[in-house]
Amino acid sequence: MASTASDVLVDVLVNWGVDTIFGIPGDGINGIIEALRKRKDEIRFVQVRHEEAAAFMACGYAKYTGKLGVCIATSGPGGIHLLNGLYDAKLDHQPVLAITGLQFHDLVGTYTQQDVELDKLYQDVALYNQRIMGAAHVRNITTLACRTALAHRGVSHITMPVDLQDQTVDEDMRAPRNVKGHNTDLFAPELPVPSEEQTRRAVEILDAGQRVVILAGQGALRATDQLERLADKLGAVIVKALLGKAAVPDDSPFTTGQVGLLGTAPSQEALETCDTLLIAGSTFPYIEYYPKPGQARAIQIDIDAARIGLRYPVEAGMVGDCRLALDILIDRVKPHPDRSFLQKAQAGKAEWMTLMEERGTRTDTPMKPQVVAWELGRRLSDTALVACDSGTIATWWARQIPAKRGQMHTLSGNLASMAPGLPYAIAAQIAYPDRQVVAFVGDGGFSMLMADFATAVKYGLPIKVIISNNRSLGQIKWEQMVFLGNPEYVCDLYPIDFAKVAEACGGKGFTITDPKDCGAVLDAALAHPGPVVVDCIVDPNEPPMPPKVQAKQALHLAEALARGTPDALKIAATVFKDRAREII
């Protein structure tokens, strides 16, 4: 029987099916930590090394499971540290609950130690954001926080003064209108069905289309079969946003892979030449990669009406669950006998994959980062969970690691934050202890939160961390040169021996420098029963070039090299060699 405010909070979490909380204890949440200790058989507390990692883990847990991810931090700096991971959840629409502490209720606002009013700080990141005022307030607020995060797929935040956490239920006066038992922990999610008017309009547009492209995003991850059946009926090409990488397996005859700066040439070609665009569960943010306005008639499926028409002008907006909406379209659209658009895309994909294999099997040194991705992709199990990081690493993940049916892939999408790869992998392994989990990260991102590799060791999580170590902030380096025409500046990183870091944390470390050894070392790493870091030393001058290089981008690169970029001759030689091999 719950006796304190903290007991009530934990009781509500248990009722909502929460089984894991990520965080660090602290004096500002001592009452809640004690309540969690008493219910440790029902809720697992995962102690992390940094609150930012805790928030990323909560977001990753939500991404991989669809459940509510929960993190907790103490008052002041602990709560502040959560923010980056919470913004990751907000921008990628993941249900996450953050719990924080406040100072004593009668000292808030008096400049006492750690006097940060976190509910005010969280006003932008949280859909639901409340300060608990006493034991009788807890059940209502916690219930609404859980319900809101799940219903609207976003962040909820509750904070409670430290002294109120120990307040007994009997001590707190219940308001007359706060009738005991008036609320419920029941959550019955509804899968909305698009309106008949918009559905009919969408069918008319698709029936009239000759060159149809389906852009699949995160909202279509559960609709793999529907996407392929609709594409087959329409002779359509499926292109994928980064968060939709696993929506359709890359060996599907209907997909040409990713879109955008990290995408493929046949995907970009399909978007540039289509006359009809169906956006399925995506708000892919790079507007410049969509068809030119007026080029294509567009339909969008999204569960959130506010996102209809956000990136491209649409004629039909189907507000509803993506899988249900696609089922309706499959039943009602007419078959398209002309397969020429799809066949051209398939031919382009075959050429692109030949190029990707050539880049992924090169034996020259320094080792190319594509080799690491290619060799890893060949070895991943059919049910692997893959967590990527931001930076040049995302390019190699997008292009050289194929998504297989049954796998799950994710990264920080709209926030594009560095560092979530490791925390995501930890959360994935906790959620799915019997599945292969791999973090594919860069040295810059990994080093930000690498202390949490010790968390994987502590809890016996057999995650495999594959580091593409170019000893630089590679993406920033290339953006300085290719987008701005400026010489690379302050992007080199002091080298760290990550294999030794892994060993120091109690895990296993490997290092790869020769591409001829890459496959064998990865085999050994993936076979190891515990947590592993593989430090892959790769060529820092290998550019993550876009699928189609624009004249302006080539000019900027030439300007940057001429104006004093370090290793300019090596970079020029690498770019020229890559381009020459492509032409040949």
Side-chain angles (χ1 to χ4, degrees):
M1 190 71 179
S3 59
T4 68
S6 296
D7 290 330
V8 175
L9 187 152
V10 174
D11 188 54
V12 174
L13 295 180
V14 170
N15 291 344
W16 277 89
V18 174
D19 56 16
T20 305
I21 292 181
F22 305 95
I24 300 177
D27 61 357
I29 50 172
N30 272 341
I32 301 172
I33 295 297
E34 170 59 14
L36 287 169
R37 184 193 67 80
K38 291 187 289 187
R39 304 291 289 273
K40 62 184 178 181
D41 291 338
E42 297 169 272
I43 295 184
R44 182 181 192 180
F45 187 90
V46 178
Q47 180 207 64
V48 305
R49 294 301 183 104
H50 196 294
E51 290 92 351
E52 182 179 357
F56 277 135
M57 289 178 198
C59 180
Y61 191 85
K63 284 186 172 184
Y64 285 113
T65 67
K67 298 179 181 178
L68 182 66
V70 184
C71 54
I72 187 169
T74 191
S75 53
I80 294 169
H81 282 159
L82 290 177
L83 278 173
N84 195 48
L86 295 181
Y87 270 101
D88 186 41
K90 174 187 176 176
L91 269 62
D92 282 353
H93 312 289
Q94 297 303 315
V96 168
L97 170 64
I99 302 168
T100 63
L102 287 174
Q103 278 302 326
F104 292 86
H105 82 280
D106 54 351
L107 289 178
V108 172
T110 67
Y111 307 106
T112 190
Q113 185 185 39
Q114 296 188 344
D115 187 11
V116 179
E117 297 184 68
L118 293 172
D119 49 337
K120 294 180 181 178
L121 182 65
Y122 281 39
Q123 284 178 349
D124 179 64
V125 75
L127 289 166
Y128 187 83
N129 177 33
Q130 292 295 328
R131 181 184 304 189
I132 289 175
M133 308 297 287
H137 199 205
V138 176
R139 187 170 297 278
N140 293 346
I141 293 300
T142 310
T143 296
L144 279 169
C146 295
R147 180 179 290 127
T148 302
L150 287 165
H152 297 289
R153 300 195 62 79
V155 175
S156 285
H157 169 240
I158 54 178
T159 189
M160 183 163 34
V162 63
D163 53 325
L164 298 185
Q165 295 169 24
D166 291 322
Q167 186 180 66
T168 68
V169 175
D170 294 336
E171 286 175 338
D172 194 21
M173 294 295 294
R174 182 180 292 272
R177 294 179 65 186
N178 186 7
V179 179
K180 189 173 182 179
H182 77 272
N183 61 1
T184 178
D185 295 328
L186 176 66
F187 177 65
E190 180 182 355
L191 296 178
V193 178
S195 72
E196 174 59 28
E197 177 188 356
Q198 295 299 316
T199 299
R200 185 167 56 250
R201 187 177 302 174
V203 171
E204 291 172 356
I205 294 168
L206 290 173
D207 282 345
Q210 300 296 314
R211 301 181 302 279
V212 181
V213 167
I214 302 171
L215 170 57
Q218 179 178 234
L221 288 175
R222 297 185 307 110
T224 302
D225 293 340
Q226 286 82 359
L227 287 168
E228 290 192 305
R229 286 165 55 204
L230 182 61
D232 189 25
K233 198 166 185 181
L234 296 173
V237 177
I238 302 172
V239 301
K240 300 184 290 185
L242 284 182
L243 288 175
K245 180 177 174 70
V248 175
D250 280 307
D251 61 3
S252 168
F254 304 104
T255 188
T256 50
Q258 310 296 134
V259 295
L261 184 66
L262 317 185
T264 72
S267 288
Q268 186 167 334
E269 178 72 19
L271 285 171
E272 290 175 352
T273 57
C274 70
D275 62 15
T276 308
L277 175 65
L278 171 60
I279 305 170
S282 177
T283 50
F284 177 70
Y286 298 99
I287 298 172
E288 62 270 28
Y289 288 97
Y290 286 81
K292 290 183 173 62
Q295 171 197 318
R297 302 180 70 188
I299 305 138
Q300 185 172 352
I301 304 169
D302 205 292
I303 203 163
D304 184 353
R307 284 180 274 175
I308 297 292
L310 183 63
R311 306 292 186 217
Y312 192 80
V314 301
E315 295 182 39
M318 301 179 69
V319 179
D321 176 74
C322 200
R323 184 163 57 176
L324 293 178
L326 290 169
D327 273 330
I328 295 170
L329 292 177
I330 291 166
D331 288 340
R332 296 175 61 170
V333 298
K334 297 176 182 176
H336 287 205
D338 185 356
R339 316 292 278 188
S340 58
F341 183 65
L342 175 60
Q343 289 167 353
K344 182 179 179 182
Q346 290 170 335
K349 176 184 177 180
E351 292 180 6
W352 177 264
M353 290 311 300
T354 299
L355 175 62
M356 292 302 100
E357 182 174 5
E358 189 277 331
R359 290 181 178 176
T361 55
R362 289 171 60 172
T363 57
D364 45 331
T365 56
M367 182 168 60
K368 299 300 181 182
Q370 297 97 316
V371 172
V372 179
W374 182 265
E375 294 291 347
L376 177 63
R378 294 175 57 204
R379 289 164 168 79
L380 292 176
S381 72
D382 291 345
T383 60
L385 305 170
V386 183
C388 188
D389 219 319
S390 295
T392 55
I393 192 72
T395 301
W396 321 133
W397 165 77
R399 294 178 178 172
Q400 254 84 22
I401 298 182
K404 300 177 184 176
R405 189 179 297 270
Q407 291 180 346
M408 298 178 74
H409 291 251
T410 196
L411 80 173
S412 176
N414 284 287
L415 187 62
S417 174
M418 294 174 66
L422 173 63
Y424 276 10
I426 289 172
Q429 195 73 82
I430 287 172
Y432 302 98
D434 297 326
R435 292 175 68 172
Q436 183 186 66
V437 175
V438 173
F440 186 61
V441 300
D443 53 315
F446 178 74
S447 61
M448 287 183 172
L449 293 173
M450 65 183 175
D452 268 292
F453 184 73
T455 301
V457 175
K458 174 181 178 177
Y459 291 100
L461 306 174
I463 64 170
K464 314 306 178 200
V465 182
I466 314 301
I467 303 174
S468 178
N469 185 353
N470 59 11
R471 298 178 178 178
S472 72
L473 299 172
Q475 191 70 28
I476 307 303
K477 167 182 174 177
W478 293 103
E479 287 172 349
Q480 288 176 352
M481 293 190 292
V482 175
F483 293 152
L484 300 176
N486 294 333
E488 176 269 316
Y489 181 60
V490 296
C491 292
D492 288 342
L493 296 174
Y494 188 80
I496 297 173
D497 188 331
F498 293 111
K500 288 184 178 179
V501 171
E503 300 282 352
C505 290
K508 182 70 174 176
F510 294 89
T511 301
I512 307 175
T513 57
D514 190 331
K516 296 176 183 177
D517 300 331
C518 190
V521 175
L522 288 175
D523 283 336
L526 293 172
H528 185 75
V532 174
V533 166
V534 183
D535 189 5
C536 307
I537 311 302
V538 300
D539 187 354
N541 297 318
E542 181 67 19
M545 300 299 283
K548 290 187 176 182
V549 180
Q550 299 174 4
K552 182 170 66 173
Q553 293 169 333
L555 177 61
H556 282 329
L557 178 58
E559 290 173 342
L561 298 179
R563 292 173 60 195
T565 288
D567 288 333
L569 292 178
K570 291 181 180 179
I571 293 171
T574 299
V575 172
F576 177 77
K577 185 187 295 184
D578 286 350
R579 184 59 181 150
R581 292 166 79 102
E582 289 179 31
I583 293 171
I584 293 170

